[in-house]
Amino acid sequence: MGEAAPHGEGLRKYQRIVIDMDICISCGACVAVCPVQALELDQNAKARLIWDKCVDDFSCVKVCPVNCIWPASEAPEASKAKSGWYRFNRVLEDLEKKIFEEWKAKYGITGAPAEV
Ligand code: SF4
Ligand code: SF4
């Protein structure tokens, strides 16, 4: 069973993953393996991260057949600059927004989240 999704300061400890949707072949393996339902297929059947649910076990990285998922610290610059490969599960509180901005800066994520 999945653990409770992190909140508040609990969001600070995760590096999460980066997905390059242009490489994704929509197999669904990452969605199936994620223990906390932090991945979904979007309207184009491309894998998308639910940012505030990821807890860094990296099962998804290992199962992707085309290697288009990386821990954020190892992701290619070009992929980090793309938008739409992640979204939020809920409206973030002010502290959580600050943690999100710190995460972007730390890992060099310049792509914007998907609007859903
Ligand atoms: S790193 Fe783990 S928790 Fe995060 S999206 Fe991948 S499988 Fe899910
Ligand atoms: S495992 Fe890779 S190819 Fe398959 S849906 Fe996930 S990101 Fe796309």
Side-chain angles (χ1 to χ4, degrees):
M1 298 298 289
E3 58 195 278
H7 278 74
E9 282 290 341
L11 287 168
R12 197 187 295 278
K13 63 181 172 182
Y14 302 111
Q15 69 162 300
R16 308 180 176 82
I17 50 121
V18 171
I19 303 168
D20 195 316
M21 290 176 143
D22 294 332
I23 303 172
C24 173
I25 58 169
S26 307
C27 74
C30 58
V31 176
V33 79
C34 179
V36 293
Q37 290 77 51
L39 292 163
E40 63 188 357
L41 297 183
D42 75 357
Q43 62 275 17
N44 300 312
K46 300 290 186 175
R48 181 165 65 197
L49 171 69
I50 304 171
W51 185 87
D52 44 309
K53 295 178 91 175
C54 178
V55 294
D56 281 11
D57 72 297
F58 303 127
S59 306
C60 56
V61 174
K62 298 181 195 109
V63 299
C64 180
V66 291
N67 300 312
C68 70
I69 311 177
W70 306 266
S73 61
E74 299 171 24
E77 295 300 323
S79 303
K80 292 191 287 188
K82 294 179 182 179
S83 295
W85 53 268
Y86 67 103
R87 71 167 175 93
F88 302 111
N89 189 48
R90 57 190 169 83
V91 176
L92 299 184
E93 297 161 11
D94 287 348
L95 168 67
E96 295 172 333
K97 287 178 186 162
K98 183 165 170 283
I99 291 169
F100 168 65
E101 293 300 330
E102 289 171 3
W103 170 81
K104 285 180 75 182
K106 181 171 184 178
Y107 297 106
I109 311 286
T110 53
E115 301 287 344
V116 290

